[in-house]
Amino acid sequence: MAISLARAVPVWLLCGIAVACATVQTTAPGTVGVDRKQTVSPLVNRDALNKQAASQYRQVVNTAEQKKALNVDHVQTERVRRIAARLTPTVAAFRPDAVGWHWEVNVLTSKEVNAWCMPGGKIAVYSGLIDQLKITDDELAAVMGHEIAHALREHAWERASQAMNAQIGLTVIGIALGASGSTMDMAGMAYQAMFALPNSREQETEADRIGVELAARAGYDPRAAISLWDKMGRLAGNSQPQWLSTHPSQASRQKDLAVYSAKVMPLYEQATERR
């Protein structure tokens, strides 16, 4: 049913969506050559989105502080901030303006294995990531570089645009076909399978590639991204198939990281010579 629906509407639906979109180039390609032009919607206010992200970050930090879960381990916090201090100047290779962002780095006490960077350079690293993976500095730089890359590429803006366009498109489908709730659910599933998930994997691959370059430029071994995913794989155990995931499979991810970490090794060697 989802396939026949997709065949019935793609031309006029996608053309209608495209009218509302523009292409942008958020970053320079760097040595890794991330040069994909991104599609964004003028219906998504970029500044408002960034302000909302900053507000959410403050809420997360304030809540953690109230629960006495903010920067509890001072040695751990200093370690994370030291790595961030080496990474953030390297963003100039992709976005000179990002050097001037109001960068902020905090460690949240949680068993969750996670880290993220909101638009504008607001970074959070969860203690579970450090403790459960027994993470090295090089591996932590790979994680943080990956998350910083999402912010540099403004993937949140791109995803918000995709969500806006999806909502508009599915509403048009519903009006045109007089669709029932179940039909609309199937349309949503078709969109997820054909557009949303592949785009998310593309963003993850971009963040991987930019992340290893940021790490290499900061003097961290980019090959640590591969060992990081060995650890992540052992921790996660069996995972869902790649085509149903917003992340690349571990095998394809590690293969790609091996190629691009080798590509930036000269940058790593130059950085270590300077230190």
Side-chain angles (χ1 to χ4, degrees):
M1 181 69 72
I3 293 175
S4 62
L5 176 62
R7 286 175 180 168
V9 298
V11 175
W12 56 266
L13 169 58
L14 295 181
C15 286
I17 289 174
V19 170
C21 296
T23 56
V24 296
Q25 190 74 36
T26 55
T27 61
T31 299
V32 290
V34 173
D35 58 2
R36 177 179 66 91
K37 289 186 178 179
Q38 296 160 269
T39 301
V40 295
S41 171
L43 299 177
V44 177
N45 187 293
R46 183 189 201 179
D47 292 337
L49 186 69
N50 290 343
K51 286 179 181 178
Q52 182 182 26
S55 176
Q56 290 175 338
Y57 186 80
R58 291 265 64 83
Q59 289 178 22
V60 170
V61 169
N62 290 340
T63 299
E65 189 170 29
Q66 291 168 8
K67 293 181 177 179
K68 301 188 184 306
L70 180 67
N71 303 323
V72 174
D73 186 327
H74 297 295
V75 173
Q76 199 174 71
T77 302
E78 175 57 30
R79 179 190 178 198
V80 171
R81 287 178 172 172
R82 183 175 64 250
I83 293 170
R86 283 171 55 176
L87 285 170
T88 51
T90 70
V91 301
F94 294 93
R95 283 189 67 153
D97 68 302
V99 178
W101 286 355
H102 297 294
W103 292 91
E104 186 176 337
V105 185
N106 288 293
V107 178
L108 308 182
T109 300
S110 170
K111 292 182 180 180
E112 187 175 349
V113 178
N114 197 13
W116 39 263
C117 180
M118 283 192 176
K122 308 302 183 187
I123 300 172
V125 175
Y126 290 60
S127 60
L129 175 77
I130 299 169
D131 297 335
Q132 293 192 50
L133 296 184
K134 307 299 180 189
I135 204 165
T136 68
D137 283 4
D138 291 321
E139 290 166 347
L140 190 49
V143 173
M144 294 171 68
H146 173 98
E147 299 304 329
I148 288 170
H150 280 307
L152 296 178
R153 288 288 285 167
E154 299 193 69
H155 283 152
W157 182 25
E158 187 176 18
R159 287 195 302 272
S161 296
Q162 291 166 353
M164 174 67 76
N165 289 333
Q167 184 62 46
I168 293 171
L170 293 177
T171 299
V172 171
I173 291 174
I175 293 171
L177 301 183
S180 65
S182 60
T183 302
M184 290 302 293
D185 288 342
M186 285 186 284
M189 291 170 61
Y191 172 81
Q192 286 291 321
M194 291 185 290
F195 299 102
L197 297 183
N199 286 341
S200 294
R201 289 197 294 270
E202 187 170 44
Q203 291 173 352
E204 288 298 317
T205 298
E206 289 179 346
D208 277 350
R209 294 174 183 178
I210 291 174
V212 295
E213 180 165 342
L214 294 176
R217 288 181 179 275
Y220 293 103
D221 191 336
R223 295 168 296 187
I226 303 169
S227 63
L228 168 71
W229 283 102
D230 278 332
K231 292 182 178 180
M232 289 291 285
R234 288 195 295 271
L235 187 67
N238 294 328
S239 58
Q240 62 182 332
Q242 176 172 334
W243 63 276
L244 284 178
S245 173
T246 57
H247 288 237
S249 70
Q250 183 181 343
S252 63
R253 188 170 216 160
Q254 288 183 300
K255 183 177 180 180
D256 192 75
L257 284 167
V259 171
Y260 282 88
S261 61
K263 195 170 186 176
V264 299
M265 278 301 290
L267 298 175
Y268 168 60
E269 291 163 357
Q270 292 167 15
T272 51
E273 286 174 2
R274 290 194 299 266
R275 296 192 67 81

